[in-house]
Amino acid sequence: MAQYPQWSYSQSRASMFDECLRKYYYHYYGAHNGWKTESADEMQVRLYRLKQLSNLYLVFGDLAHRMCESAVRSREDGKPKPREAFLEKTIRDLLNQAYKESINPEQWRLHPKNYTMLSEIYYGDDTLNDRIAIIKERAGACVGNLYQTLTWEDLSRASTTILEIEKWDTMVLHDTRVYVKMDLLYRRSNGNIVIVDWKTGKEDDFSDQLILYASYVREHYQVPLEQIEIRVEYLLTGKHKEFTATEEDIRKVEENVGRYIEEMRSCVADEYYNRPKDMSYFTPMPSHRACRDCNFREVCSERVV
């Protein structure tokens, strides 16, 4: 097992880098090898456990994506689409399972990758009941809107060809592996390829990640940008946004990614092994917003209380 983690880039990594350098260090370096309880030091093991903490919003987002994947795969296999009542019950049952696992901390401590521990319960947050109510409401809305989306309208046509469903792949940018995992990719009868991103929260702007996906699709499927449609489906509201990337969009995003990669690499003492500089180099960036839900607040003396 490598002493240091492999180097790669993702938008989630860039977001954490912006949020707090100390959190970035804990997540990507301090927790590495923490699953090797026989040989790792106590702090590595502790950070690895904390890295695995989830929260209600993240659990629900993952379950909603799994719901969409299940429905699309049923269509791909020629089976009837899952009933809305079944989908909603499944989501509620799995949310309840996550809650039950979280109130049994010992099994999570022994196998943190295999069991869910909600940060709201781990840290005794007073937001738990409010968040449970919000998630219950969102579950019904997201399930009810899935089959009303423009994407499902396309999938209902026999001429639509599914190309990828939650498939991991990579592309290389600035000599760095960039991970690609689109929620759904399909080809319409007119030859256009549609990138679908399911969202379960509030509406927001298109992310750099989706522009990178368009670049990947152009190269991998050999189609011009004007034939690649980017669509965000907001399951909570039933609305969607569509966008077609231009060469200028891709140039700007790739330049932005290049800046992140350069800054991230400045934090390592050895690029070949991806050995980080001393933890003190990763300056804490405390704020009420960032510290409130940070998984690592238990070990961070710089957090905002």
Side-chain angles (χ1 to χ4, degrees), residues 147-161:
Y147 294 138
Q148 309 305 317
T149 60
L150 181 59
T151 294
W152 197 261
E153 183 179 326
D154 282 345
L155 293 177
S156 299
R157 300 187 180 97
S159 57
T160 298
T161 303

Side-chain angles (χ1 to χ4, degrees), residues 9 174 208 250-261:
Y9 173 88
H174 304 292
D208 286 0
I250 290 178
R251 183 189 66 80
K252 287 181 178 178
V253 167
E254 290 185 348
E255 285 182 355
N256 192 40
V257 170
R259 285 192 291 271
Y260 272 110
I261 288 174

